[in-house]
Structures are given as C-alpha cells and as structure tokens.
C-alpha cells in the first residue's frame, strides 16, 4: 500500500529565502507525482506534474525533482514571497491505478 | 478553457438528514471524475471515481454514494448523514488520455454535520 509522507508539517521562513519542501513515498512503482497548492478553505491548484520517466519540472520560481529509486521528491521555491504562503501537497499515482495518494501537506508561512 | 463547479459552497446539516452535492465540468468531454474528502488532520481521501456515465468505483465503504447521470456531472449523496461525514469535499477531473493526467480540482464544499 502506497504511503506518502511530507516533512515538516509546517514551515515558517522570512521573505526572500529559498526553501525546499520534501515528499517521500514507499512504493517506487509510480506513474507520476504531482505538487499542489491549497489556500485556506479553497480547492487544490496543480503546480507541477512529473512523469515517472522525468527527473524534474520547472515553472517560474518553482522546481520539482523526482528520485524514484529513493522514493523522494522535493519542491524548491526560489526567492519566497508572502503570497507563497499556503499548504503544499504532493500526491503520487501508482501504475495501473486511477487514484492519487496524497501526503498530509506542509503548511508554509512566508513572513514579510 | 475548462472549468469545474461545485455547489453548494457550504452546508450545515443535522445528523440523519440526506445529502446531495453536485459537481459539473465545462469545456471538456468524457473526463475522469473524482470525489475526495478532506477531514481535519487526515489529509485527502479518495471516495469515488468515474471513468464514464454510470461507471462508479468506490474506494472507501461508507454511507455515501456517487452517481454520474451525465458525462460532465458527478453527484455525491447520502441518505442519512453521520457526524463523521463532516469535512471538505472536493471534486476533481482529469483527461481520459492516461498520459499527462493532471487532476484539476473544484473549489470544494464545506459540510458540517451537527
């Protein structure tokens, strides 16, 4: 059974810092991995999707990497801004499976 | 462009009452559709998914049910709500291509059962 873990559960950093969010998964037989952002009381917004054959994806100040063999992914946020404050969730899709398995998320606070 | 709608946005219901949450998708055809529940401290849990009209797969046994009466409409129902049904319900869709199948989420429905 696939399990996804995100550490830390919460993170607070000053504005302008670069930061890394971590995601680990127990079964390396994945189809893809996604990073989402969730603002309080809102739905999820897809940030980046990495297929199992890829090593990383970039979008603006965001860079996500995938190391399937070690069961890890990181989300790198450069030059953080207060608007980046949100909960960040990673989710994996297993091969042959329809569903995404989500981590519990990291609640990120960027202090001005 | 594609959009996904959910209603109502918030709902307060007494224990034992029925439930009907609706989700519709615009701008695409034959999408995969999903219902998730996000309970406090428990993360996102997939409840149901559908790959076509009338095709529903249940992930978690419970007193909830789902139906897909039209291609782009997904309904979550209950005959009698329990306190444990409280949570944030999210509908999502993805393309039925199996390739870069990003899931796109709706704005959610906050359900409180009293």
């Amino acid at each position: 059974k696939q399990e996804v873990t995100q550490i830390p559960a919460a993170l607070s950093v000053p504005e302008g810092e670069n930061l890394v969010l971590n995601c680990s998964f127990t079964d390396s037989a994945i189809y893809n991995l996604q990073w989402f952002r969730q603002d309080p009381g809102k739905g999820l917004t897809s940030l980046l999707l990495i297929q199992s054959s890829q090593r990383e994806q970039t979008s603006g100040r965001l860079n996500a990497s995938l190391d399937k063999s070690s069961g890890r992914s990181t989300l790198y946020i450069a030059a953080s801004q207060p608007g980046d404050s949100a909960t960040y969730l990673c989710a994996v899709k297993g091969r042959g499976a329809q569903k995404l398995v989500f981590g519990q998320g990291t609640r990120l606070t960027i202090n001005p | 462009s594609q959009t996904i709608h959910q209603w109502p946005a918030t709902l307060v219901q007494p224990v034992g009452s029925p439930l009907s949450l609706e989700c519709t998708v615009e701008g695409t055809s034959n999408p995969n559709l999903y219902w998730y529940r996000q309970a406090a401290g428990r993360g996102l849990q997939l409840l149901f998914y559908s790959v076509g009209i009338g095709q529903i797969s249940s992930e978690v046994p419970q007193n909830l049910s789902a139906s897909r009466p039209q291609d782009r409409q997904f309904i979550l129902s209950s005959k009698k709500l329990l306190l444990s049904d409280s949570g944030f319900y999210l509908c999502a869709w993805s393309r039925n291509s199996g390739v870069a199948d990003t899931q796109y989420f709706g704005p959610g429905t906050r359900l409180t059962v009293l």
Side-chain angles (χ1 to χ4, degrees), chain A residues 31-32 34 36 38-49 51 87 89 93 97-104, chain B residues 32 34 36 38 41-44 46 49 51 59 88 90 94 98-108 110:
Chain A
Y31 187 66
N32 61 43
Q34 275 188 261
F36 293 89
Q38 186 177 28
D39 293 292
K42 305 293 185 182
L44 277 64
T45 300
S46 179
L47 297 174
L48 291 163
L49 181 147
Q51 300 293 348
T87 296
L89 296 141
K93 183 174 181 181
Q98 281 290 340
K99 69 178 183 180
L100 291 175
V101 178
F102 282 83
Q104 296 272 6
Chain B
N32 292 333
Y34 310 83
Y36 290 86
Q38 189 174 35
R42 293 192 60 186
L44 268 160
L46 179 66
Y49 69 89
V51 298
E59 286 290 312
F88 192 47
L90 289 159
S94 68
V99 183
D101 49 356
T102 300
Q103 289 193 13
Y104 301 94
F105 284 76
R110 173 75 59 193

Side-chain angles (χ1 to χ4, degrees), chain A residues 25-97:
Chain A
F25 46 95
T26 55
D27 187 349
S28 61
I30 65 170
Y31 187 66
N32 61 43
L33 182 145
Q34 275 188 261
W35 282 93
F36 293 89
R37 168 186 173 136
Q38 186 177 28
D39 293 292
K42 305 293 185 182
L44 277 64
T45 300
S46 179
L47 297 174
L48 291 163
L49 181 147
I50 311 176
Q51 300 293 348
S52 63
S53 58
Q54 297 174 322
R55 296 283 292 181
E56 65 178 344
Q57 283 285 335
T58 298
S59 175
R61 294 183 294 108
L62 305 180
N63 176 276
S65 68
L66 174 64
D67 184 342
K68 206 172 57 169
S69 61
S70 67
R72 293 180 183 177
S73 176
T74 61
L75 179 66
Y76 175 82
I77 303 177
S80 59
Q81 303 170 358
D84 295 329
S85 297
T87 296
Y88 290 80
L89 296 141
C90 74
V92 299
K93 183 174 181 181
R95 293 192 174 277

Side-chain angles (χ1 to χ4, degrees), chain B residues 17 19 34 36 44-45 54 60 62-63 72 80 83 100 107 114:
Chain B
S17 64
L19 173 74
Y34 310 83
Y36 290 86
L44 268 160
Q45 181 185 42
V60 181
Q62 61 219 321
N63 69 320
R72 292 168 290 174
K80 288 186 177 182
L83 285 174
L114 302 175

